[in-house]
Amino acid sequence: MSQEKPAILWLRQDLRLADNPALQAAANQPFFAVYIWDDQDPWAPGRASHWWLHKSLNALKQSLLERGVQLIFRRGNPLNILKNLIEETKAGAVYWNRCYEPYAINRDQEIKSYFKNEDISCQSFNGSLLAEPWKIQTKTKGPYQVFTPFWKALQNFTFPHPLPIPELQGWKFPVASESLEEWRLHPAWGQGLEQTWQPGEKGAWERLNRFLEEGVEAYAKKRDYPSENGTSHLSPCLHWGELSSTQIWHQVLLSHGIEALPFLRQLGWREFSYHLLFHFPELPFKPLRVSFEHFPWEVDADALKAWQIGKTGYPLVDAGMRELWHTGGIHNRVRMVVASFLVKHLLLPWQKGEEWFWDTLVDADLANNAVSWQWVAGCGVDAAPYFRIFNPSLQSQKFDFKGTYIKRWVPELQALDSPYIHSPWQASLEVLEMAGIKLGMTYPFPIVDHAFARKRALEALKTTSY
Ligand SMILES: Cc1cc2nc3c(=O)[nH]c(=O)nc-3n(C[C@H](O)[C@H](O)[C@H](O)COP(=O)(O)OP(=O)(O)OC[C@H]3O[C@@H](n4cnc5c(N)ncnc54)[C@H](O)[C@@H]3O)c2cc1C
């Protein structure tokens, strides 16, 4: 074996070569990379994320191989795996970019202190956020709980310029690896995902470049309309770290300057979610407003199922849930509508929606998902007030006036036009017949009446201190 000890680059949610501080550090000596499937993680990726991860790891493995670096795969307890790797290769250092999920923070701290005692160099870096969550503080040194002042504070930071891809020196001796194929990460319904996405650093850059050319300018105008291609679709790339937020921030500012502020603000929401998760680690399962802890949620497996498969009888809700199932993505405006429908119309706990999104979104992200669900449910900080209850038909009229988005995902309503496409139950039998629709047979009646649901939700709200 070579005299020089190798380093280990532990890849996690930073599946890229450029602007990767842990990779920069590892590149100062021969190194190899490892991806560990942590089988203890309580928020292990869901099925759609598995698909993304599989593809992204394969792409990264190839890019590293082209530069003479091996990426190996191991499954199990990360501390034990790193200990084994150090024993097998006599590695002298471990590098990684930080994750901010509560479980990962505790795990990583434990690993760091173990290796410190063993005299193994162990260093972590910020490869994911514009600013570390603990660095942004209110005047009283506490966490922010309202977005606007947080956003102001964030903009006072200077974000470092992205790092280039360094010269890499691969460790020459093969390290035993499990087979990624044998991890069997493909979900049964992967076809729609294949048609929609191209995971990996290359695909992420193509997406970003397309957005820079065609999307940033009209972002503020188009972002709320689901039939428009009006947003960046970069969320899974950001979650898996195929692009860093710093790269996106700088590229967007460079090409569009201050005009890009409405888009950059959304990156600010991502930072805010991470800030909140860091300071309130119970956020993925517990309402931040204590008064919601005993909210009288319903238990209704049939209603939950109807929501999941897009058969609620509310076209915009159904379109969104079917888009989600087919593509692993769902437009932000429609996410708000379907989430509000679950929580307020069906009175089902927000955690049920959070779990479904976790399993089916390719961009499932603990911080963004939990904060957004609590925001919609009205039980988070700086949340949408619970008593503001979206009318799904009006949302549909406002944001998908011609029903273009609905027709794409709910083909049985193809022949129905506005205004009935937003509320087919209000159409006459004649109109329905002409459109080839038989309510209750070809398309469901609404599973709940809007006026009834609104009243019930407001009654339930009285149990909180709103
Ligand atoms: C109920 C609900 C659940 C959600 N779950 C997730 C999730 O699991 N993962 C996720 O990344 N986003 C989640 N979001 C936020 C948002 O819907 C998505 O980030 C956005 O739709 C992704 O599309 P885009 O990349 O085209 O976004 P763009 O509009 O192009 O925004 C750029 C980036 O900013 C970030 N961003 C945008 N909106 C938000 C937001 N409201 N909160 C936090 N970050 C934001 C994302 O990283 C996004 O990629 C959720 C929203 C709701 C209402």
Side-chain angles (χ1 to χ4, degrees):
M1 278 204 183
S2 136
Q3 292 304 304
E4 200 173 355
K5 288 180 169 185
I8 302 174
L9 170 66
W10 179 15
L11 291 165
R12 300 116 63 89
Q13 289 171 28
D14 51 348
L15 306 182
R16 65 179 182 276
L17 299 184
D19 195 33
N20 186 326
L23 176 82
Q24 285 288 326
N28 291 324
Q29 63 263 280
F31 75 98
F32 63 92
V34 60
Y35 183 87
I36 300 173
W37 184 272
D38 181 346
D39 55 15
Q40 323 260 298
D41 188 344
W43 285 95
R47 287 175 294 170
S49 297
H50 285 175
W51 175 86
W52 191 284
L53 178 64
H54 177 97
K55 295 262 172 189
S56 197
L57 283 174
N58 256 334
L60 187 61
K61 183 179 168 194
Q62 193 53 38
S63 312
L64 282 166
L65 258 188
E66 285 161 13
R67 291 167 170 82
V69 178
Q70 52 190 317
L71 166 58
I72 65 150
F73 305 105
R74 299 256 174 124
R75 186 197 279 255
N77 172 305
L79 176 58
N80 291 339
I81 288 171
L82 291 170
K83 279 201 273 188
N84 291 343
L85 285 173
I86 286 169
E87 209 176 294
E88 289 165 34
T89 64
K90 307 290 171 262
V94 187
Y95 300 107
W96 68 73
N97 292 311
R98 284 188 274 281
C99 291
Y100 299 87
E101 293 79 8
Y103 166 81
I105 291 177
N106 291 335
R107 175 195 67 194
D108 294 352
Q109 274 170 354
E110 224 175 88
I111 294 178
K112 239 186 202 173
S113 59
Y114 176 86
F115 284 128
K116 212 168 157 197
N117 288 336
E118 297 289 308
D119 237 9
I120 305 272
S121 163
C122 199
Q123 251 183 296
S124 66
F125 303 85
N126 173 9
S128 171
L129 295 176
L130 294 169
E132 298 283 18
W134 53 87
K135 288 207 172 144
I136 304 186
Q137 292 180 329
T138 60
K139 281 195 185 112
T140 56
K141 308 274 176 227
Y144 280 94
Q145 299 196 37
V146 178
F147 176 70
T148 306
F150 171 87
W151 174 228
K152 262 194 199 146
L154 178 69
Q155 290 172 89
N156 285 333
F157 279 72
T158 310
F159 311 131
H161 275 273
L163 302 162
I165 304 177
E167 273 297 310
L168 306 183
Q169 320 172 43
W171 172 245
K172 295 280 177 291
F173 303 90
V175 185
S177 173
E178 290 174 29
S179 147
L180 184 57
E181 293 308 319
E182 278 172 19
W183 283 4
R184 298 188 181 282
L185 298 180
H186 283 286
W189 77 95
Q191 209 186 352
L193 309 182
E194 297 278 353
Q195 290 158 359
T196 315
W197 305 98
Q198 190 200 338
E201 193 171 7
K202 182 167 167 272
W205 273 99
E206 282 172 14
R207 217 164 253 284
L208 174 59
N209 286 330
R210 210 174 317 131
F211 182 63
L212 292 173
E213 277 168 32
E214 299 165 10
V216 180
E217 220 172 289
Y219 180 79
K221 222 164 84 193
K222 290 189 176 173
R223 64 180 291 255
D224 262 325
Y225 297 91
S227 65
E228 301 274 2
N229 187 14
T231 67
S232 71
H233 306 284
L234 286 169
S235 47
C237 316
L238 271 163
H239 173 77
W240 288 111
E242 295 166 348
L243 283 172
S244 69
S245 46
T246 331
Q247 286 173 313
I248 300 177
W249 181 277
H250 283 292
Q251 288 291 329
V252 169
L253 261 186
L254 196 69
S255 64
H256 286 79
I258 209 70
E259 168 200 26
L261 212 58
F263 172 74
L264 297 175
R265 193 178 155 88
Q266 295 312 116
L267 293 181
W269 268 101
R270 177 175 183 267
E271 297 284 314
F272 186 48
S273 300
Y274 275 77
H275 180 78
L276 290 174
L277 181 62
F278 178 78
H279 290 287
F280 304 99
E282 69 283 8
L283 206 141
F285 52 90
K286 203 168 148 199
L288 284 184
R289 281 174 186 253
V290 211
S291 63
F292 271 79
E293 273 183 28
H294 302 290
F295 194 84
W297 298 112
E298 294 280 319
V299 179
D300 187 340
D302 291 342
L304 179 63
K305 189 79 198 163
W307 178 79
Q308 288 172 338
I309 63 175
K311 294 217 162 160
T312 65
Y314 284 91
L316 186 62
V317 174
D318 293 342
M321 296 310 291
R322 294 186 200 183
E323 180 190 20
L324 171 61
W325 181 250
H326 187 76
T327 69
I330 171 169
H331 187 274
N332 180 59
R333 166 62 48 185
V334 188
R335 283 186 209 213
M336 291 196 277
V337 172
V338 302
S340 169
F341 187 83
L342 182 85
V343 172
K344 297 179 184 175
H345 282 71
L346 302 181
L347 220 61
L348 293 174
W350 58 270
Q351 293 94 333
K352 292 280 175 206
E354 182 193 27
E355 276 167 27
W356 183 250
F357 271 28
W358 185 255
D359 196 33
T360 53
L361 275 173
V362 287
D363 69 10
D365 181 281
L366 197 63
N368 286 356
N369 200 33
V371 169
S372 301
W373 273 98
Q374 291 224 25
W375 185 87
V376 173
C379 57
V381 294
D382 201 8
Y386 185 91
F387 53 79
R388 206 176 290 154
I389 296 172
F390 277 154
N391 178 330
S393 312
L394 291 184
Q395 286 288 308
S396 183
Q397 279 185 31
K398 194 161 169 197
F399 296 106
D400 187 33
F401 179 69
K402 290 187 181 159
T404 315
Y405 172 78
I406 292 173
K407 290 181 185 188
R408 190 182 306 154
W409 295 109
V410 189
E412 59 268 38
L413 300 180
Q414 267 299 337
L416 205 55
D417 285 323
S418 202
Y420 299 118
I421 182 98
H422 308 292
S423 44
W425 64 93
Q426 287 178 332
S428 65
L429 274 180
E430 201 186 349
V431 168
L432 288 173
E433 207 171 296
M434 273 174 51
I437 296 164
K438 223 169 170 112
L439 282 185
M441 294 187 63
T442 61
Y443 185 71
F445 283 106
I447 58 169
V448 66
D449 171 66
H450 171 69
F452 160 81
R454 188 169 188 283
K455 197 159 165 258
R456 180 176 64 168
L458 290 174
E459 270 310 304
L461 183 67
K462 288 185 187 156
T463 62
T464 73
S465 58
Y466 243 114

